[in-house]
Amino acid sequence: MTDATVQTIEPKTLESIRTVANIGSGTMGHATALQFAVAGYPVKLVDCSEELLKRGMEHIRADAEEFAQAGLLRAEDTVDDVLSRISTYTDYENGVSDADFIIESIVEKLDVKQSVWQQIEQYAPVDAIFATNTSGLGPTAIQSVLKHPERFVVAHFWNPAHLMPLVEVVPGKDTAPEVVDTTFDLMASIGKKPAKIKKESLGFVGNRMQLALLREAFNIINEGIADAETVDTVVRYSLGRRWNLVGPVASADLGGLDTFYNISTYLFKDMDNGTEPSLLLAWKVQDGNLGTKTGRGFYEWQGEDGQRIIRERDEQLMQQLAEDAAVEDADCKSE
């Protein structure tokens, strides 16, 4: 056993986090790096090539410009100020050596994440917090290869990470409670809406809810009850509107738990309760119709209509962020 293993480590607090290392500059990684830089943190962006880093910085600039147009940068900041806080590296030694909080957004493969975190641990300060932005891999499995598993936690941002407020903070079996608390506080300090999950489970909370809904959505389409567009219309203009204001559990309270109980006595029996992936989904994947990444899924994404849906989604998310910021600013001024 090494000296580092038996060393007593003082847990990080929000106040002691000064520098963030961000591993990965892709779809999720560039957005998390932007979020920390917008909040004022120096960010060390690490990826395996200069080409990937250049592409990531281009996406960061584009997103920062949209933030500026929406009034979501700090009053004293310009886009160039935000970008100046981000430095790029292709090696862990220089990328993480002085970081207080290290977050990783790389491929969703357990062995790859374990290998990367073992390399990071060789160079990171012994008290740095390690956070993975996995969307479903268990933190216990990833942290099991570390010398200090107690400092490892999940900080699951939702895509698009710079526009979606939620971050699920999930402990592994060996994660110290103080690490969960500090990560939660850090996410709140950069403007996110963190959710502190009590214990790990496959899919955490958000993806369990999402896949439960999708299982029945795919079943409805496969059974010919409604097509994909109709299913989306029903959710957007009923559950989507309601759940954006109060969650499903509060909605059940408001609707009357006796009512929901009575409905469940007959409806559950008629719903899909299978434990295998949807056949409809499997057929889409087998045919290579994967959604936006291939241009076709349940919808056509190659034409203007597909791009319009994405654009309108992002515009609405940006508008909601601006409204959230305005409310928080008003609350601060009234205190």
Side-chain angles (χ1 to χ4, degrees), residues 5 13 39 91 110 142 183 198 213 237 244 253 278 322 328 335:
T5 304
T13 63
D91 67 290
L110 176 61
I142 302 174
T183 302
K198 291 183 177 181
L213 182 71
Y237 295 107
N244 191 41
D253 267 358
S278 161
E328 290 176 3
E335 290 178 355

Side-chain angles (χ1 to χ4, degrees), residues 215-231:
R215 179 172 62 181
E216 186 56 33
F218 295 148
N219 180 53
I220 288 168
I221 297 166
N222 197 41
E223 291 292 318
I225 298 169
D227 60 20
E229 186 173 0
T230 301
V231 169

Side-chain angles (χ1 to χ4, degrees), residues 182-325:
T182 298
T183 302
F184 181 95
D185 292 342
L186 178 61
M187 296 303 111
S189 77
I190 65 172
K192 292 302 186 181
K193 298 294 183 185
K196 191 181 295 184
I197 311 304
K198 291 183 177 181
K199 64 179 183 179
E200 72 175 292
S201 64
L202 289 175
F204 313 137
V205 173
N207 271 323
R208 292 176 79 94
M209 301 294 293
Q210 179 172 226
L211 268 294
L213 182 71
L214 282 173
R215 179 172 62 181
E216 186 56 33
F218 295 148
N219 180 53
I220 288 168
I221 297 166
N222 197 41
E223 291 292 318
I225 298 169
D227 60 20
E229 186 173 0
T230 301
V231 169
D232 283 349
T233 296
V234 168
V235 174
R236 287 179 64 197
Y237 295 107
S238 61
L239 300 175
R241 290 285 179 94
R242 180 187 296 164
W243 289 352
N244 191 41
L245 301 173
V246 293
V249 180
S251 290
D253 267 358
L254 291 169
L257 297 182
D258 55 334
T259 299
F260 281 90
Y261 172 78
N262 291 334
I263 294 173
S264 70
T265 60
Y266 62 83
L267 189 55
F268 280 178
K269 298 173 185 177
D270 197 56
M271 294 171 66
D272 185 358
N273 62 359
T275 58
E276 298 296 325
S278 161
L279 283 176
L280 180 61
L281 185 60
W283 294 332
K284 290 287 185 183
V285 172
Q286 289 170 9
D287 291 341
N289 296 324
L290 308 181
T292 55
K293 63 175 66 176
T294 59
R296 176 183 295 176
F298 288 96
Y299 292 82
E300 294 285 343
W301 294 98
Q302 292 177 321
E304 174 57 30
D305 283 348
Q307 294 305 307
R308 176 184 53 78
I309 293 172
I310 297 172
R311 184 171 60 251
E312 289 179 353
R313 178 204 66 176
D314 289 353
E315 288 173 353
Q316 287 295 317
L317 288 173
M318 189 75 75
Q319 181 178 334
Q320 289 174 14
L321 280 181
E323 291 172 355
D324 289 345

Side-chain angles (χ1 to χ4, degrees), residues 46-301:
V46 183
D47 215 322
C48 54
S49 74
E50 294 290 351
E51 181 181 355
L52 290 173
L53 288 167
K54 178 182 178 184
R55 191 181 310 156
M57 290 302 296
E58 289 171 353
H59 288 310
I60 288 171
R61 176 174 285 278
D63 291 341
E65 288 173 349
E66 292 184 357
F67 268 30
Q69 293 170 9
L72 289 171
L73 298 185
R74 299 190 305 181
E76 67 272 23
D77 277 347
T78 66
V79 169
D80 287 338
D81 291 331
V82 172
L83 267 66
S84 72
R85 298 188 186 109
I86 304 174
S87 51
T88 60
Y89 302 85
T90 56
D91 67 290
Y92 295 127
E93 183 173 6
N94 291 303
V96 306
S97 60
D98 62 347
D100 302 301
F101 185 88
I102 305 171
I103 185 166
E104 159 267 311
S105 299
I106 62 170
V107 63
E108 287 286 273
K109 293 184 177 180
L110 176 61
D111 59 338
V112 176
K113 286 187 184 291
Q114 288 177 327
S115 175
V116 164
W117 279 110
Q118 284 178 310
Q119 294 176 64
I120 291 170
E121 193 170 39
Q122 294 178 38
Y123 302 108
V126 74
D127 62 344
I129 290 177
F130 290 178
T132 179
N133 187 17
T134 181
S135 58
L137 292 175
T140 298
I142 302 174
Q143 72 184 178
S144 66
V145 300
L146 299 177
K147 295 176 181 177
H148 290 291
E150 71 278 1
R151 58 164 160 179
F152 188 87
V153 69
V154 167
H156 175 220
F157 288 68
W158 279 63
N159 188 35
H162 63 301
L163 298 178
M164 293 290 283
L166 179 67
V167 179
E168 292 175 290
V169 181
V170 188
K173 179 176 68 71
D174 296 318
T175 306
E178 297 85 356
V179 168
V180 175
D181 293 341
T182 298
T183 302
F184 181 95
D185 292 342
L186 178 61
M187 296 303 111
S189 77
I190 65 172
K192 292 302 186 181
K193 298 294 183 185
K196 191 181 295 184
I197 311 304
K198 291 183 177 181
K199 64 179 183 179
E200 72 175 292
S201 64
L202 289 175
F204 313 137
V205 173
N207 271 323
R208 292 176 79 94
M209 301 294 293
Q210 179 172 226
L211 268 294
L213 182 71
L214 282 173
R215 179 172 62 181
E216 186 56 33
F218 295 148
N219 180 53
I220 288 168
I221 297 166
N222 197 41
E223 291 292 318
I225 298 169
D227 60 20
E229 186 173 0
T230 301
V231 169
D232 283 349
T233 296
V234 168
V235 174
R236 287 179 64 197
Y237 295 107
S238 61
L239 300 175
R241 290 285 179 94
R242 180 187 296 164
W243 289 352
N244 191 41
L245 301 173
V246 293
V249 180
S251 290
D253 267 358
L254 291 169
L257 297 182
D258 55 334
T259 299
F260 281 90
Y261 172 78
N262 291 334
I263 294 173
S264 70
T265 60
Y266 62 83
L267 189 55
F268 280 178
K269 298 173 185 177
D270 197 56
M271 294 171 66
D272 185 358
N273 62 359
T275 58
E276 298 296 325
S278 161
L279 283 176
L280 180 61
L281 185 60
W283 294 332
K284 290 287 185 183
V285 172
Q286 289 170 9
D287 291 341
N289 296 324
L290 308 181
T292 55
K293 63 175 66 176
T294 59
R296 176 183 295 176
F298 288 96
Y299 292 82
E300 294 285 343
W301 294 98

